[in-house]
């Protein structure tokens, strides 16, 4: 981890910090403390299967003291292909404006990727063209095109 | 739906048909009947949240009589951004070689997309460059680059 910073799973007390960091990424809108806490509860309870005791959602924060400096999610999808293989999906990586330029994005991606590859045959993510070089430095390669329907 | 075909959620008796269809897409490897049934059970039980009674996994088959002609998955990811918004992910669309050329892929994508957009602010999928035109006909547009780490 970057000196002066630490990393751990998201906890209920991270309500304000996580939402502030996500606001640097996109529209968060109105999320109440109760909704946040229910979401954290859900993340802490859903397993990948009824078998091994592996959680599906892996939401993390990087902290500077008690302040949330960055946040990101890795969730695990369970497939039938590849012998009931697991795929990790990295989503919603956000670094607080006060903590940018300190390679926290890289540290978060490395952490979530290592965690994913412990359990999954691959970890994937979608990004803008402008971020491809960053993710190549993190060990990723182009795999396809993301399409969306709104 | 294409005349002569019907669509429904995957059930336990679809074991052989679903695996055969998926083999047209990629390596499935060894998946026992017990593993398949446990997976279907899991798909039938995991909810998107502790609140509304919405399932997370939506695995479908297109049938020709009792034969599986195509299969595909739409699963729902729960986010904090966009007011605890939901995103649908379409994965593992496969049409059996005996039933290709009948627009079953299109029918399946339309069904899963409609289902996703009932609940989600967007539905996304990753595809090869060669399939972009097909998905554009289904109402999708380019959103980004898929990156992978294996």
């Amino acid at each position: 981890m970057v000196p002066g910073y630490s990393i751990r799973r998201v906890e209920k007390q991270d309500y304000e910090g996580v939402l502030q960091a996500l606001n640097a990424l996109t529209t968060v809108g109105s999320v109440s403390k109760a909704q946040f806490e229910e979401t954290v509860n859900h993340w802490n309870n859903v397993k990948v299967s009824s078998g091994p005791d592996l959680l599906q959602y892996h939401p993390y924060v990087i902290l500077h003291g008690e302040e949330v400096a960055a946040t990101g999610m890795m969730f695990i999808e369970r497939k039938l292909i590849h012998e009931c293989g697991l795929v990790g999906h990295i989503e919603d990586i956000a670094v607080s404006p006060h903590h940018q330029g300190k390679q926290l994005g890289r540290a978060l991606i490395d952490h979530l990727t290592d965690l994913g590859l412990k359990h999954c045959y691959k970890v994937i993510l979608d990004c803008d063209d402008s971020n491809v070089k960053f993710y190549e430095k993190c060990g990723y390669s182009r795999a396809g095109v993301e399409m969306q329907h709104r």
Side-chain angles (χ1 to χ4, degrees), chain A:
Chain A
M1 184 45 54
V2 179
Y5 292 86
S6 60
I7 189 165
R8 65 156 167 73
R9 265 183 83 91
V10 169
E11 296 177 2
K12 288 179 185 175
Q13 72 262 27
D14 302 325
Y15 171 58
E16 288 182 13
V18 164
L19 295 192
Q20 276 173 16
L22 287 174
N23 262 314
L25 177 71
T26 187
T27 308
V28 178
S30 162
V31 175
S32 70
K33 194 158 196 304
Q35 282 177 302
F36 182 81
E37 291 182 354
E38 197 276 316
T39 302
V40 173
N41 257 344
H42 183 71
W43 288 339
N44 287 341
N45 281 293
V46 182
K47 304 286 197 312
V48 162
S49 74
S50 57
D53 212 27
L54 176 62
L55 289 173
Q56 180 174 31
Y57 289 99
H58 300 268
Y60 274 77
V61 279
I62 291 180
L63 298 170
H64 185 252
E66 293 185 4
E67 190 187 351
V68 172
T71 186
M73 167 68 83
M74 192 277 295
F75 72 85
I76 296 177
E77 172 206 359
R78 184 175 174 197
K79 289 183 178 283
L80 282 170
I81 61 173
H82 297 295
E83 305 192 335
C84 292
L86 303 176
V87 171
H89 294 250
I90 289 181
E91 298 277 345
D92 302 339
I93 298 296
V95 179
S96 160
H98 306 297
H99 296 276
Q100 287 180 359
K102 294 185 176 159
Q103 305 230 289
L104 298 183
R106 173 67 190 266
L108 193 52
I109 292 292
D110 286 348
H111 186 85
L112 295 175
T113 304
D114 288 350
L115 186 59
L117 291 178
K118 266 187 203 162
H119 305 288
C120 304
Y121 72 87
K122 67 176 178 181
V123 176
I124 63 174
L125 57 86
D126 293 319
C127 70
D128 289 339
D129 256 315
S130 59
N131 289 326
V132 167
K133 279 190 182 167
F134 166 72
Y135 285 111
E136 284 175 345
K137 283 183 201 158
C138 300
Y140 284 75
S141 56
R142 279 180 189 264
V145 181
E146 180 201 8
M147 306 292 292
Q148 69 173 7
H149 196 314
R150 280 177 188 258

